Each structure stands twice: as structure tokens, then as C-alpha cells.
Amino acid sequence: MSDTLGQACTRLAAGDVDDAESLLRDAGADPACIILLRDLLVAEGRNEEAADLAREPVAEHPFLDRTNRSLLALLGGDAESARREAEAALDQDSLPDPHRASALNHLGRALFNAGQAPRALDAFERAARLDTGSAFPWVSLGHAQRGLGNLPAAMEAYGRALDLCPGLSAARHDLGITHYHADRPVDALATFDVLLSAAPDHTGALADSAQTLMLLGRLEEAEGRLERALEIEPGFALAHLYLGQLHNERTDTEKALIHLRRAVDLEPGDVEAWIELTGVLEQANRETEAIEALRGGFAADPHHPGLHLEGARLERRRNDPAAAVRRLRGIDPRGLPPRLEQQYWFELGLNLDRNNQPGAAVQAFERGNALARRSVRSRATDPDALEQRCRRLDTWIDSGLPGSRTGAPVNGRGARRCFLVGFPRSGTTLVDTTLATNPQAEAIEEAPTLDGIIRELERSDPPYPATLASLDARQEQALFEAYETRVAALLGHNPTGWVIDKMPLRFLHAGLIQRLLPEARLVFVARHPCDVVLSNFMQQYAVNETNIHFDTLEHSVETYVRLMGLWLRLERAIDLPVTTVRYEDLVENMAQAIAPVCDALDLDAASLSFEREARLATRDRVRTSSYQQVAEPIYTRASGRWRRYESHLAPWLPALAPFMERYGYGRERT
């Protein structure tokens, strides 16, 4: 071994890849150094540079010539020629072990690309045994195992490579990606962060670590990394895709579309970007543009299951569930990644429900919810947090709601503020989009107007809601002003008319609302308890401490009974005026049903519009799972849907009966 080669190997073992590369490039025509440099470039994914090196003339070194030919053939897409050249290199006599290991590594790559995975894995393992100090066969083995879906084996192989050469950035990046796909986001993020500590401008690691942060719900950190990646590489399509996904999760439609359109412009063959773009346009009720985006995706890959999933959504929107079911049945969900498989089952369930196949629909929703339970965010969400909050509310209500009434002058606090509440999937979106058509009303849809205040109070001792009893007038005024500041920020101006602050489960905070905004109004939207339970079970929700409890029909019933029981107790105890309206009445005769709400708010009912386009015009996008229903004309299809599922709900009807009675629902068939 030459001195230069020895020094380069020492640098590689120490993780100093750049120094090793410089030494090898300075070695001139030394064949052993050329072989090591070429294989280093391949391991680092720098194939064009490796190909340039392989094209250089080789004087009287048939082994190097053969392995160069093998590499060039493989990069040219000719795996069979690559195999023959690598085998010819191995046929030469008296090869030193490092050279034989290099040829086996190239042979394994050719075999894997030729579809001969078992022989490829054997070649990589033989190479690793021959040259125990080389990381390169382990890198190739990691790629092969990942390609076969053997993620634990891939992670082990990448780990072995990094033990031998800690500075291999591509292997560390691939290890992070493999951790991510193995549903180990914390390990993935740690791996990416090690890479970024050594190479802060590694755009791939910035983007993929941002995607991992998004999976963990850390959107602000993710956004910062993606913006940094685009500062370094403005035309980085993947960063635009991830930013589009991030803004879509925030329901910022226009920003999402800017980045997603940029992603497909940069990479027209990126099907994932077309899928995301189609989905955002469909949710934003821009159906024509969504269809155009879907066509763009099909031009890239007419068979991609994610595109057919979006196609099924559009068919459901066009009220053709039979076509959607046929399309979905053509997809094998077992081959989908978990995120798409989860979407598949929920979409299939919705269309089977529309197609009047309740038994099959329930099975589909059960499959979708089972996948949702296993998601990273679900597993990271405390399943006991909701019950702990409920118990604190129980104790507070038992004590008479201390601190729920102001002792200071009201001074109009809460005047022209309406809190629109109800159990999720009860029809609050229908009410707020209708009220917002009145020029004297503006709606804030499911935004955190009170959440920051509640989080602050929960950090108190005793925690919220008991801490309300110790608030003085100055603190009360400061919290009220914080609420008003948040409202103005969300609307973009200081409102002069009614503000419809819609957040369904905010009824749990009626006592806080009464304390801070004593002149506010509450509008509660009721719906048949069975339909509410069923509808929540059927929704693919974003994960939070409440939504994780809608994963089965039984849990959905338990959650409904628990929270609605608290509401009935609160409603009896508070002084705020409450106007109750029923969903079934709204869809039967909107003008008549919403009149009491207009009376309570002193709004001119004649100024309301019940037309679809007018309701949609109140916002750029409905930020709830109800968006598609709002995008349709008012319909009665979902009213009484539970009757088709009565056999599935039968075990829990006694638990729901008190709530049916409270809101005037009978079980008789109509």
C-alpha cells in the first residue's frame, strides 16, 4: 500500500472525507488510489464525478478498466453488461482483497439492478468480509435492503458503514431517511442533525429534517429549515413541495399553492407534488384547477395510487360514489405508504357510505382509524389529557364555578361577540358560513382566539379553571385585551360588527368566556347524537388530544357522553344567553331555523344568503373536515344517516338516550 493510499484510508476511518479525497486526487495515476476515489464518489452519490473519473484512460491495468466499464454500463442503464464486466474483473488472478471487494461491490450493484437481489446481497456481504475496513460494501448493502423494504437491515448496514467512515454524508443522510420511513422520527431527526452539524448547508438534510419536524408537529422549526434550504438552492423542488405541505397543514391555501406550483414547474415528473397540489385545490373548492392538476399528475404516472385517490375524491365531490368505489377498488392498499393507506380507507368508507353500503363502510373506517392510532403523532399524544381536563372542570362545576363572573364594570366587554359552539360534526360550519354572508358579521373559523389565554392559565397554580377565582380586575382586563388583539390580528382589522368566533368544543370554556366577555352570546348547534357519533368516527382528523378518542364507535360514544355531559352542567350554571339550533332544522329550512340566532344577535335575517357561492365567498377555504359539505348546496343526506347504522350503534343507544331526549330526538323511524 502506498503512503498516499494509507494516509487516505486513515483519514476515511477518522471521518475526514474531504481530506481523504484531496489526497487521492493528488495521487495522480496510482491505480489503487483511483479505485478508492472512484468508489468513494459512488458511495457519496456523486455518480457524474465517478463516471468522469472512470472515463479517463487506464494504462496497463485491466482490473481498473473492467470495473470502470462495469460502473459506466450500470450508470447507462445496462445492468447485464455491468454484471459481465464486474465478473470479468473478478476472474483475474492474484487480486488483492481490497480490489476483489471493490469488484464484488460493483457486481452486487449490477445484480441488484438486474433484479437478482439474493445474489446481490451475497456479493455485498462477501465484499464486506474481504475488506473489513471498507465502508463501501455496507453502503451498497444498506441501499439494497432499503430497496427491498428491509428497513431494520438497511439501518444496520448504514450504521456499520458509518462506524467505519463517520464522514460519509450520503450514508448518514440515507440512514436518516430510513429511520423516517421506519416510523422512527426522533432517530431520523437526530441523524439529520449530526449531518447538519458537519455540513450546515446540506440542502437534502435540511429538507428531510424539516419533513421529520413536520411529522412531529414542529412546524415553525420545519419552516425555518426549508427557507434556509431555498436560500442556498432556490430551485430545490423538494423544499418547495415540503413548504407547500406545511402551509397546507396550516390551511394557508395561497402560500401552499405558490410552493406547490413551483415544485411541479421545477420537477414535472414529481407525482407527489401533483398529488399535493390536486388535494389543496380540491379542498379550496377550485374543482376545475384540481382536475387540471390531476391531469398533470397522470401525465407523469397514469398508475400512481395517490393520484387515483385524488380522482376518487373528485368523483365523490361530483356525487358519483359508485365511480369512486370502482377506482379505489383498483388500488391495492397493501402497497401504499401508511399516510396514503390511511387516506385510502377513509375515502373508501365515505364513498361506501354514499353508495349505501353501511357494513362495508364501517369496516373501511375501522381500518383507517386503526392506522391513525399507529401514527407518530397519535402515539405522541397523551391519551389521558382530555380526561384530566374534564376532571378539573367537574371539580370546578361542583364548587359553583368560582371566578366565572366578573366583579368589575362590564363596560361593553363582549358586546357583538358570538361564540359558535357544538359537538364536532354538528353543523357549526354551516351556521358560521351562513351568518358571515350578513355584512354586519364576520366569522373566525376554528382559530386559536382563546387558546393562548387558556394555556397561560393552565400553567397557574391552581391550574385552569380553578385559577379563575384568583384573577383580579387588572388581570381580567389584560386577558380580555389579549383576546381582542388576537381577534383583530386574525381578521386583519378591528371589527365593528358581530364577530362569530367558531370553535365547536369551546363550550367547555363557557365559564372563561363569561368572565372575560360577560356580554357575549353563545350559539349552540345540536344534532342527533347518533349522527354526531357516527360522523366523528368517519372523519380523518388531524391529531389532537380530543380527536384521538374518535378511533372506534365505542370511544366516540364515550367521548360524546363525557363532553356533552359537561356542557349540560355548564349550560345550567352560566348566565350567558345561549341560543340552541338543531342541524336537522337547518338543513330542512335554513331561513326558519336560523331566525332565532339572528334575533339573538340582532342581525337582519333578510340580509343572509343561503346560496353555495355566497357561503363559500366568506373565506378562501373552510378549515374543517366539513369543507366538502359546505362546498355543496345545503342537503339533507346526512340527516338521519345513523338509521342505516343502527345495528352498529345498538350497544350504545342507552348511553345516548338522555341526549336524544334533551334535544328533542326520538328513535322512531320516519
Side-chain angles (χ1 to χ4, degrees), residues 94-395:
S94 303
L95 282 179
D97 285 349
H99 286 189
R100 186 169 294 278
S102 174
L104 282 167
N105 190 17
H106 286 283
L107 174 61
R109 285 160 46 85
L111 289 167
F112 191 82
N113 281 28
Q116 300 182 50
R119 291 185 61 197
L121 298 180
D122 178 68
F124 296 140
E125 289 166 357
R126 288 164 58 201
R129 288 195 297 270
L130 272 176
D131 190 355
T132 57
S134 175
F136 305 147
W138 291 109
V139 173
S140 297
L141 183 60
H143 294 339
Q145 295 286 20
R146 192 175 80 180
L148 294 169
N150 301 328
L151 301 187
M155 289 184 284
E156 181 182 359
Y158 288 134
R160 295 286 294 272
L162 290 167
D163 287 342
L164 292 166
C165 184
L168 288 176
S169 59
R172 196 169 298 279
H173 188 200
D174 287 325
L175 175 60
I177 292 170
T178 310
H179 277 307
Y180 178 90
H181 288 294
D183 208 13
R184 298 172 58 174
V186 174
D187 293 331
L189 185 60
T191 303
F192 292 133
D193 283 348
V194 170
L195 175 52
L196 288 168
S197 67
D201 291 345
H202 193 296
T203 54
L206 284 167
D208 288 320
S209 64
Q211 186 187 39
T212 308
L213 287 164
M214 288 164 60
L215 182 64
L216 294 169
R218 294 159 61 179
L219 299 189
E220 289 188 11
E221 295 173 74
E223 184 176 16
R225 294 194 184 197
L226 291 170
E227 295 288 2
R228 174 60 184 151
L230 288 176
E231 286 177 12
I232 299 166
E233 188 179 344
F236 189 16
L238 189 64
H240 283 290
L241 169 59
Y242 291 162
L243 267 175
Q245 292 174 333
L246 185 150
H247 288 302
N248 184 34
E249 181 164 349
R250 288 176 171 166
T251 65
D252 189 334
T253 300
E254 293 310 316
K255 284 186 179 179
L257 290 175
I258 287 170
H259 287 288
L260 293 173
R261 292 192 191 281
R262 181 66 175 141
V264 297
D265 286 344
L266 289 165
E267 294 286 351
D270 186 349
V271 177
E272 295 299 324
W274 286 112
I275 291 170
E276 196 75 22
L277 177 59
T278 304
V280 173
L281 289 167
E282 189 265 335
Q283 291 178 46
N285 305 300
R286 293 158 70 164
E287 185 176 351
T288 301
E289 294 174 75
I291 292 170
E292 291 175 1
L294 188 64
R295 289 181 184 138
F298 279 134
D301 183 351
H303 306 295
H304 196 286
L307 291 169
H308 283 284
L309 185 57
E310 293 299 332
R313 287 197 178 101
L314 288 165
E315 284 164 340
R316 175 163 57 90
R317 172 184 284 273
R318 294 195 296 270
N319 199 28
D320 192 355
V325 169
R326 287 194 299 272
R327 184 188 292 272
L328 291 167
R329 292 297 194 194
I331 298 172
D332 182 358
R334 295 171 298 180
L336 297 175
R339 182 177 72 94
L340 275 186
E341 186 181 0
Q342 183 181 332
Q343 292 178 23
Y344 169 89
W345 288 113
F346 277 100
E347 186 60 35
L348 180 61
L350 291 171
N351 282 286
L352 288 168
D353 171 65
R354 292 270 191 100
N355 222 30
N356 197 26
Q357 297 175 260
V362 167
Q363 291 177 356
F365 290 125
E366 287 173 343
R367 299 282 292 272
N369 276 300
L371 287 166
R373 274 196 303 276
R374 297 198 294 268
S375 73
V376 170
R377 288 194 188 180
S378 289
R379 296 200 310 270
T381 302
D382 183 359
D384 299 321
L386 179 64
E387 178 57 24
Q388 290 169 5
R389 289 192 172 91
C390 290
R391 288 175 182 169
R392 290 199 297 268
L393 275 170
D394 276 329
T395 301

Side-chain angles (χ1 to χ4, degrees), residues 2 6 24 31 91 117 197 217 266 272 287 298 321 543-544 572 663:
S2 69
L24 294 170
D91 284 342
S197 67
L266 289 165
E272 295 299 324
E287 185 176 351
F298 279 134
V543 173
N544 63 36
R572 289 191 294 267
Y663 292 107

Side-chain angles (χ1 to χ4, degrees), residues 13 36 69 79 89 234 253 277 322 326 405 447 489-490 522 573 576 578:
L36 184 60
R69 289 183 189 179
T253 300
L277 177 59
R326 287 194 299 272
R405 293 169 178 83
L490 288 166
L522 290 180
L576 289 177
V578 179

Side-chain angles (χ1 to χ4, degrees), residues 593-614:
I594 209 166
V597 177
C598 293
D599 290 343
L601 305 184
D602 194 24
L603 282 175
D604 180 11
S607 298
L608 299 179
S609 175
F610 309 122
E611 298 300 320
R612 169 184 178 275
E613 295 303 327

Side-chain angles (χ1 to χ4, degrees), residues 7-35:
Q7 291 174 24
C9 290
T10 300
R11 295 286 197 281
L12 289 174
D16 298 329
V17 171
D18 290 343
D19 287 349
E21 182 180 339
S22 295
L23 285 169
L24 294 170
R25 288 190 183 278
D26 291 342
D30 183 338
C33 289
I34 293 172
I35 291 167

